[in-house]
Amino acid sequence: MVKRFLYSQKVAPYVFVLPFVLVFLVFWIYPLASSVGMSFQKVTLGQEAQWIGFDNYAKLMGDKTFFKAVTNSAVYMVLTLVILIPFPMLFAVLINSRLMWGREFFKSSFFFPALTSVVVAGTIFRLMFGEMEGSLINSILGWFGLDPVKFLKGQATGYIALVALATWRWTGVNILYFLSGLKSIPDDYYEAASIDGASSWQKFTRITMPLLKPTTIYVVTISIYAGLAMFIESMMLWNGNNSPKNIGLTIVGYLYRQGIEKNNLGYAAAVGVVLLAITMIINLAQLAFSGMFKKEE
Amino acid sequence: MKKELAAKIAIFALFAVICLLILIPFYAVTIASFKPGEDLIRYGLNLRFDVSAMSLDNFAYLFTGDHAYFKWFFNSLLLTVVQVALTLIVSATVAYGFAAYDFKGKNMLFVCVLLIMMVPFEILLLPLYRLIYDMGLMNSYSAIVLPGVASAATIFFFRQYLSGVPKEIIAAGRVDGATEYGIYARLILPVMKPSFAAMAILNGMNSWNNFLWPFMVLSDDNKYTLPIGLKTLLTPYGNNYDLLIVGSFFSIIPIFILFVAFQKYFIDGMTAGAVKG
Amino acid sequence: MKRTWLITLLVLTMTTILWGCGGGKPSASGGKTSVLDGGAGQSATELSYWTFVELHGQHFEKMLEKWNKENPERQIKLNVTVMPYDDMHNKLSIAVQTGVGAPDIADIELGKFPDFLKGTPQLEPLNDVIDPYRDTVVKSRIDLYSKDGKNYGVPTHVGASVAFYNTEILKEAGVDYTKIVTWEDFKQAGIKVHEKTGKYMGTADTSALWQVSQLLAQQGTDLTDDQGNPVVNSEAMVKALKLLKDLQDNNVIATIAGGQPDTEEAYGEFNSGNYATAFMPLWQMSRYTNYMTDLAGKIAIAPIPVMEKGMPRSVGGGGTGTVVTKTAKDVKLAKDFLAFAKLSLDANKEIWNTLGFDPVNMDVWNMKDVTHNPENKFVKYFVNNPFDVLNEIKDEIRLIKSTPASPTINNVLCTVTLNEIFEDGKDIKQALDDAQAQIEQELK
């Protein structure tokens, strides 16, 4: 009887998606709800939590360090989008073109940095961007007669280091995403365009870009997410969560600082809720803007 | 045709230059792993190739020294294999449920999948930590594997892939009298093979590199993974740079070998399942 | 499918190989747990201990052997885990918040200690085990780790600040460090050093408050007022930073990689002889012997210069309070052992012998056989004996209070303010006013 019930076509789909429902309820909804609840509380060690309404949020609005963290995360996200969408797309198109020599070799070597762990890559970049004259980047600057730069102590140069790390690790991955998108574009489109006398540029803007849109949306979505939630990269570059003048502090970094380093659980939860709101708004706006929600004709 | 040759050369040159830039950090670490760790602190990581200052001491220490490096390495490997296997099986099953059936609440549930993809996992850290404690899973690998076992991104990817698989297969299976689960196991799973490779790679990378959450739930250093272990070497009070840098170098080597040996398979797998909107 | 099997096979082979050579014997190096049995028998209780300084474990190892010999009925095995500073404190913080995963005994650094005293501390009061030793040790060091009359941490050292001079560089420049009494003397000497050698006399610290604390102590003030409220834009503070800024403008001091002398980058800079002086608590000695081996026989210890003659010449800096957590397996045993290992006379001697710290039992400072032991690695390394200097400044060691506001003050000054002043040249008064505002906002 039970067997028949479980094997029926009506019940089977629920059995299939059951693991997701369980994980979703236990590991997402429950913590998410308690996180939201905690953001309205003052949680003190060894004492009952106190409800304090919107106090945490009010405090957050006047917190300069928090805004610094938001700015850093936003700038980082924008910079990674600006670099890690167009260039990988272009490279993917070039790799895919018949003008390419050594296709497989380049695909692999571009992808390779993605295989190193953030801890390893971050450490390598921290040492490369060291402020000593002899460290890698400074010694290269030296060849051009430039003075050594304290990369990890200045805001702009700090961003450079962060974005360099992200670019190094993710260019290859994004190229692969775009390559997979390119595969789904039928060759006849290009042939037809050639017959009509279209230039390479026209083919790129009229055929490639529009047809790559689904892939682009996907990559943009995960990049926004990854950009706003970045933390470990900064932690490794500055060997801790306390960078000079907070130039490397991100939203998650601030959450970590408040919740774990300073034991302000309630306040940290409020930071988390704001982060969630920002991520949601930007992503939904992006998806709406790119027509993701329109019914497919 | 001359124009075409020029274009070819230009493109090749461009890629060659970028490739060199990408390889610089690897080159620097490789060199550094032959130098004393103290040099690293004094002069920073650099490109200086000086045979007289190089030795195999670090490697000797890596293989014969008194440290836990290979334990971490093994832990990471084990965790990655287990996590990837479980995540793929569970996520594929869920994705099939979404792709093959129409059922009540399906759209709402799928929106939940999409939402999870946008919720930064980091904001759940603290409540999740308490939950894991209440479940008695502290300091266990289950604490790391379970929350991610139905991975939203993986489910999403599989569903997209399955939507390209003809429904006739399923119908034919039913006609032949196969059960719903039999259809999935015997007819659909084989078709999904190429997409499995792609997701295995992406999930494997995530798992191998995962730091924050494992770091929080693992307290016994016998269970540390490689990233956590290497991170513990980053202390000014330990003089561990010898092991750190050679360990970092060595952590890349096996992946490198795997990657070179199977690169075509890796990349074809990644590009097999096109993302459809 | 064949390929998949190949990969699986390869992975399996690799794991087998790695498993084979990764039998992993425990050791005391970074991030490692090691079980010290100190001659304990089968029935010994196993206690766990977290620290962020590997050397502290070595001290406990010595004391453990003595304990197990003297207390055959209450023997202990100590499970020592060494983690990086931030990681250890963060993990400990999570552990005490959730009440799980905490060790029995842990080191908490002074700068982080107030965070663990928030609300109801999840630590065991140690008054009863401190009492027998209370009269023998410096009271203020215990007060640092106390709340409402309860002592939660056992101190490790006094941390008297002194100057460490690189005599080789000074000789080259023709400077006699023993003649440096005031900051003006220091400045003139520094100008000479920079002219003659191109090197810097000292560091302008951007990521630590050692120098600031020293200069405040000389003026008899603190970072907080009597109620423990932050006052980082006081006149004394402006004066202190103006003095340092003036030194920086004259190329006497300069910022250093790592931001302060007690970082791995700075060890490298000092070891290469790029900076001649460090103003640090006495425990910096152990950093010299461990990480700056090229400087052996070149470093002299002296009192820190003062603004005006007669001002106090030292301040207690840094510190580690060792605690027993509420979740400890055997609280009584952990407490007794802790007091024995850190407060007994033997322990205080060993703290100097093993760690090179100035022990909190100041009687030890006068025991010539201990302090001037020619076999001691610290005595060997330095040009003069540190205790000669310590005894000279003994009554001048001031204290910077530790209050609930301290971690925030530290964080704002060390990440933002000092960088703005020394790296960006921001106006001192402005930078300090901003810092005060930021600290007040964060403490709200």
Side-chain angles (χ1 to χ4, degrees):
Chain A
M1 184 61 207
V2 177
K3 199 173 169 190
R4 244 184 69 216
F5 174 73
L6 278 177
Y7 274 68
S8 85
Q9 230 188 88
K10 276 244 163 69
V11 178
Y14 293 102
V15 176
F16 279 117
V17 297
L18 184 69
F20 170 73
V21 177
L22 284 180
V23 168
F24 182 65
L25 289 179
V26 177
F27 294 111
W28 292 86
I29 289 300
Y30 169 74
L32 200 58
S34 68
S35 208
V36 172
M38 227 192 306
S39 73
F40 296 103
Q41 292 174 320
K42 186 176 172 66
V43 187
T44 320
L45 264 188
Q47 287 171 3
E48 280 286 298
Q50 250 178 296
W51 286 89
I52 53 168
F54 283 89
D55 283 10
N56 283 327
Y57 292 94
K59 189 180 162 189
L60 212 48
M61 289 305 111
D63 187 342
K64 274 193 208 154
T65 314
F66 174 65
F67 281 99
K68 177 83 193 154
V70 174
T71 316
N72 285 343
S73 290
V75 170
Y76 174 80
M77 178 198 82
V78 171
L79 287 177
T80 49
L81 283 181
V82 167
I83 292 171
L84 283 171
I85 304 292
F87 289 103
M89 191 195 285
L90 180 73
F91 292 156
V93 170
L94 287 178
I95 286 176
N96 216 29
S97 81
R98 63 197 164 77
L99 296 173
M100 191 69 202
W101 277 330
R103 182 174 295 141
E104 298 305 320
F105 171 78
F106 285 121
K107 262 200 266 184
S108 315
S109 42
F110 277 43
F111 183 72
F112 190 44
L115 299 171
T116 59
S117 119
V118 201
V119 171
V120 171
T123 307
I124 296 173
F125 271 65
R126 175 167 77 94
L127 296 166
M128 271 171 41
F129 280 96
E131 65 183 71
M132 283 90 89
E133 232 169 286
S135 67
L136 203 150
I137 304 290
N138 275 333
S139 63
I140 293 177
L141 290 181
W143 298 343
F144 296 99
L146 298 168
D147 287 334
V149 176
K150 294 175 183 175
F151 278 97
L152 299 177
K153 281 186 177 169
Q155 183 67 75
T157 49
Y159 285 146
I160 291 178
L162 272 174
V163 172
L165 176 56
T167 309
W168 186 69
R169 289 190 72 225
W170 293 111
T171 304
V173 179
N174 285 1
I175 288 180
L176 291 189
Y177 280 128
F178 284 118
L179 278 176
S180 81
L182 287 173
K183 263 197 175 175
S184 65
I185 303 177
D187 285 338
D188 348 349
Y189 288 19
Y190 293 104
E191 278 158 27
S194 297
I195 293 166
D196 290 346
S199 69
S200 306
W201 177 249
Q202 280 170 329
K203 279 188 226 163
F204 179 68
T205 53
R206 302 273 169 78
I207 301 174
T208 313
M209 292 229 310
L211 288 174
L212 268 184
K213 200 166 140 191
T215 313
T216 314
I217 292 174
Y218 179 76
V219 177
V220 168
T221 310
I222 55 171
S223 302
I224 289 176
Y225 171 91
L228 287 174
M230 185 270 287
F231 170 48
I232 304 295
E233 281 85 347
S234 147
M235 194 181 188
M236 294 314 302
L237 267 187
W238 280 278
N239 199 9
N241 197 14
N242 292 310
S243 45
K245 288 172 280 170
N246 292 318
I247 51 176
L249 184 68
T250 67
I251 306 179
V252 174
Y254 198 57
L255 183 153
Y256 191 78
R257 183 188 286 178
Q258 290 294 344
I260 291 172
E261 295 174 359
K262 292 189 161 185
N263 288 342
N264 294 329
L265 283 182
Y267 196 54
V271 174
V273 172
V274 173
L275 170 63
L276 179 63
I278 297 175
T279 322
M280 285 289 185
I281 290 169
I282 297 184
N283 254 330
L284 293 179
Q286 183 260 135
L287 292 176
F289 179 73
S290 53
M292 181 74 172
F293 294 138
K294 277 186 214 140
K295 285 272 167 226
E296 278 172 43
E297 281 117 73
Chain B
M1 279 304 107
K2 241 190 179 165
K3 213 174 119 194
E4 193 158 290
L5 186 69
K8 271 189 175 178
I9 292 171
I11 293 173
F12 185 81
L14 172 76
F15 275 76
V17 169
I18 299 171
C19 191
L20 273 181
L21 287 177
I22 286 176
L23 294 179
I24 283 178
F26 290 118
Y27 173 73
V29 181
T30 310
I31 296 189
S33 65
F34 291 96
K35 295 185 199 167
E38 197 186 311
D39 269 27
L40 202 67
I41 300 170
R42 253 199 223 193
Y43 309 115
L45 191 65
N46 56 40
L47 298 172
R48 208 171 304 127
F49 190 87
D50 177 4
V51 183
S52 64
M54 293 170 137
S55 73
L56 286 170
D57 290 357
N58 293 338
F59 286 90
Y61 178 60
L62 179 72
F63 288 108
T64 59
D66 190 13
H67 54 70
Y69 181 82
F70 287 105
K71 188 165 257 176
W72 301 333
F73 203 111
F74 174 76
N75 288 344
S76 262
L77 220 51
L78 177 80
L79 188 62
T80 302
V81 171
V82 170
Q83 193 166 14
V84 168
L86 282 177
T87 307
L88 289 196
I89 292 167
V90 172
S91 302
T93 312
V94 174
Y96 176 70
F98 278 120
Y101 297 94
D102 279 312
F103 56 93
K104 239 191 200 158
K106 170 175 156 176
N107 284 333
M108 202 194 74
L109 270 179
F110 198 67
V111 167
C112 292
V113 174
L114 291 177
L115 282 184
I116 289 192
M117 284 176 71
M118 294 177 207
V119 176
F121 175 77
E122 286 78 2
I123 72 171
L124 305 176
L125 282 181
L126 298 166
L128 207 51
Y129 184 89
R130 285 195 172 174
L131 180 69
I132 290 297
Y133 164 57
D134 290 337
M135 296 169 85
L137 294 177
M138 282 310 291
N139 201 20
S140 72
Y141 288 156
S142 314
I144 300 166
V145 174
L146 282 183
V149 80
S151 148
T154 312
I155 294 175
F156 184 74
F157 187 92
F158 280 147
R159 198 206 72 135
Q160 298 298 82
Y161 189 85
L162 282 170
S163 63
V165 174
K167 291 222 166 181
E168 286 77 25
I169 299 184
I170 301 169
R174 289 206 182 112
V175 171
D176 288 351
T179 64
E180 297 300 313
Y181 310 103
I183 294 172
Y184 169 65
R186 267 178 244 122
L187 300 177
I188 300 297
L189 276 183
V191 183
M192 289 175 76
K193 252 188 279 168
S195 65
F196 262 80
M199 284 297 107
I201 291 157
L202 274 185
N203 279 298
M205 271 165 53
N206 284 339
S207 175
W208 178 258
N209 292 335
N210 200 0
F211 172 74
L212 192 57
W213 179 241
F215 167 71
M216 287 182 66
V217 292
L218 297 179
S219 53
D220 175 359
D221 74 325
N222 277 320
K223 293 190 174 166
Y224 278 1
T225 60
L226 199 51
I228 305 176
L230 287 176
K231 175 92 176 22
T232 62
L233 299 177
L234 280 169
T235 161
Y237 309 125
N239 240 4
N240 296 309
Y241 271 72
D242 298 311
L243 184 59
L244 174 73
I245 210 73
V246 76
S248 302
F249 172 74
F250 194 78
S251 77
I252 304 174
I253 298 284
I255 319 176
F256 181 75
I257 294 170
L258 263 182
F259 184 68
V260 168
F262 298 103
Q263 56 168 292
K264 201 178 135 35
Y265 186 81
F266 265 38
I267 289 168
D268 286 353
M270 270 287 284
T271 50
V275 182
K276 297 170 198 113
Chain C
M1 239 9 222
K2 261 187 191 155
R3 275 266 156 92
T4 329
W5 284 112
L6 262 175
I7 292 186
T8 323
L9 200 70
L10 201 75
V11 169
L12 284 177
T13 325
M14 258 172 44
T15 38
T16 329
I17 295 168
L18 290 169
W19 188 233
C21 56
K25 285 150 261 148
S27 82
S29 70
K32 272 298 302 157
T33 303
S34 43
V35 181
L36 309 173
D37 59 12
Q42 290 289 324
S43 59
T45 311
E46 189 169 322
L47 295 178
S48 53
Y49 163 62
W50 286 5
T51 181
F52 54 93
V53 186
E54 201 181 328
L55 285 169
H56 290 185
Q58 292 176 20
H59 170 70
F60 271 93
E61 187 170 10
K62 280 196 182 164
M63 295 312 294
L64 186 68
E65 260 172 50
K66 294 189 185 183
W67 169 272
N68 283 341
K69 214 170 277 168
E70 288 175 26
N71 299 280
E73 298 305 308
R74 306 176 70 200
Q75 288 189 332
I76 295 172
K77 274 186 194 166
L78 199 63
N79 202 329
V80 184
T81 306
V82 187
M83 282 181 263
Y85 177 86
D86 278 329
D87 296 349
M88 195 219 81
H89 287 98
N90 293 344
K91 281 192 91 111
L92 188 63
S93 168
I94 304 170
V96 296
Q97 279 181 53
T98 51
V100 62
D104 303 292
I105 302 172
D107 277 347
I108 302 178
E109 202 265 335
L110 177 61
K112 299 272 186 185
F113 213 94
D115 283 337
F116 288 87
L117 294 181
K118 279 183 183 169
T120 314
Q122 300 299 298
L123 310 169
E124 282 293 330
L126 304 169
N127 297 47
D128 53 333
V129 293
I130 292 178
D131 282 338
Y133 304 104
R134 205 171 284 276
D135 297 334
T136 63
V137 299
V138 183
K139 179 177 173 297
S140 63
R141 299 309 295 181
I142 291 176
D143 292 345
L144 282 176
Y145 312 113
S146 302
K147 182 182 178 182
D148 303 330
K150 285 183 184 154
N151 311 130
Y152 291 103
V154 178
T156 315
H157 56 65
V158 173
S161 299
V162 292
F164 295 87
Y165 289 111
N166 181 329
T167 52
E168 192 182 50
I169 299 176
L170 298 187
K171 205 180 276 168
E172 198 184 332
V175 168
D176 179 1
Y177 74 90
T178 57
K179 296 278 172 344
I180 298 175
V181 178
T182 64
W183 286 106
E184 188 52 34
D185 300 340
F186 181 78
K187 182 177 163 184
Q188 295 313 323
I191 291 172
K192 223 166 159 184
V193 165
H194 191 71
E195 270 171 10
K196 293 258 170 72
T197 65
K199 290 169 178 173
Y200 294 106
M201 185 68 171
T203 60
D205 297 351
T206 52
S207 64
L209 295 178
W210 314 121
Q211 294 171 339
V212 170
S213 306
Q214 291 152 10
L215 286 164
L216 285 179
Q218 296 186 354
Q219 302 175 69
T221 58
D222 198 341
L223 290 159
T224 49
D225 64 16
D226 294 339
Q227 282 81 47
N229 297 317
V231 273
V232 302
N233 54 353
S234 64
E235 250 169 65
M237 190 74 176
V238 174
K239 199 170 160 192
L241 283 160
K242 278 206 170 130
L243 188 150
L244 291 171
K245 184 72 191 156
D246 177 57
L247 291 176
Q248 188 194 24
D249 292 343
N250 284 291
N251 288 322
V252 175
I253 59 175
T255 54
I256 189 167
Q260 57 131 333
D262 188 26
T263 58
E264 54 213 339
E265 291 94 338
Y267 302 154
E269 293 273 11
F270 274 98
N271 204 9
S272 306
N274 297 334
Y275 294 81
T277 322
F279 299 113
M280 290 296 291
L282 194 87
W283 46 254
Q284 182 78 0
M285 286 178 73
S286 62
R287 316 292 194 253
Y288 278 97
T289 52
N290 280 324
Y291 311 122
M292 295 173 254
T293 43
D294 291 6
L295 302 179
K298 296 175 190 167
I299 302 294
I301 295 171
I304 291 172
V306 282
M307 292 174 164
E308 286 159 38
K309 267 186 198 171
M311 282 180 166
R313 287 177 289 176
S314 189
V315 61
T320 303
T322 311
V323 302
V324 174
T325 60
K326 279 214 163 142
T327 49
K329 271 190 291 288
D330 187 340
V331 171
K332 183 82 183 79
L333 181 64
K335 281 164 72 170
D336 287 343
F337 172 66
L338 185 54
F340 172 82
K342 291 191 79 179
L343 293 173
S344 66
L345 185 62
D346 264 0
N348 274 277
K349 287 181 189 167
E350 284 305 324
I351 281 177
W352 159 248
N353 287 336
T354 317
L355 304 174
F357 295 164
D358 41 353
V360 285
N361 182 340
M362 283 179 137
D363 294 343
V364 176
W365 294 23
N366 291 317
M367 298 177 180
K368 282 257 164 166
D369 57 322
V370 179
T371 59
H372 285 63
N373 175 4
E375 292 305 309
N376 181 294
K377 65 173 173 178
F378 303 104
V379 172
K380 278 186 192 164
Y381 183 100
F382 291 89
V383 171
N384 54 343
N385 190 288
F387 284 93
D388 294 344
V389 178
L390 283 177
N391 284 318
E392 187 187 333
I393 57 173
K394 196 170 181 172
D395 300 321
E396 300 173 39
I397 305 167
R398 296 295 180 266
L399 186 78
I400 297 293
K401 290 193 298 293
S402 175
T403 77
S406 297
T408 309
I409 296 175
N410 250 305
N411 186 266
V412 171
L413 292 181
C414 295
T415 56
V416 182
T417 315
L418 294 177
N419 271 295
E420 285 176 344
I421 292 171
F422 294 118
E423 293 285 356
D424 306 346
K426 185 169 172 177
D427 178 66
I428 290 169
K429 180 77 177 114
Q430 186 62 46
L432 292 175
D433 285 343
D434 290 353
Q436 178 74 18
Q438 177 65 30
I439 291 165
E440 282 172 9
Q441 154 71 27
E442 283 193 28
L443 289 174
K444 239 192 263 170

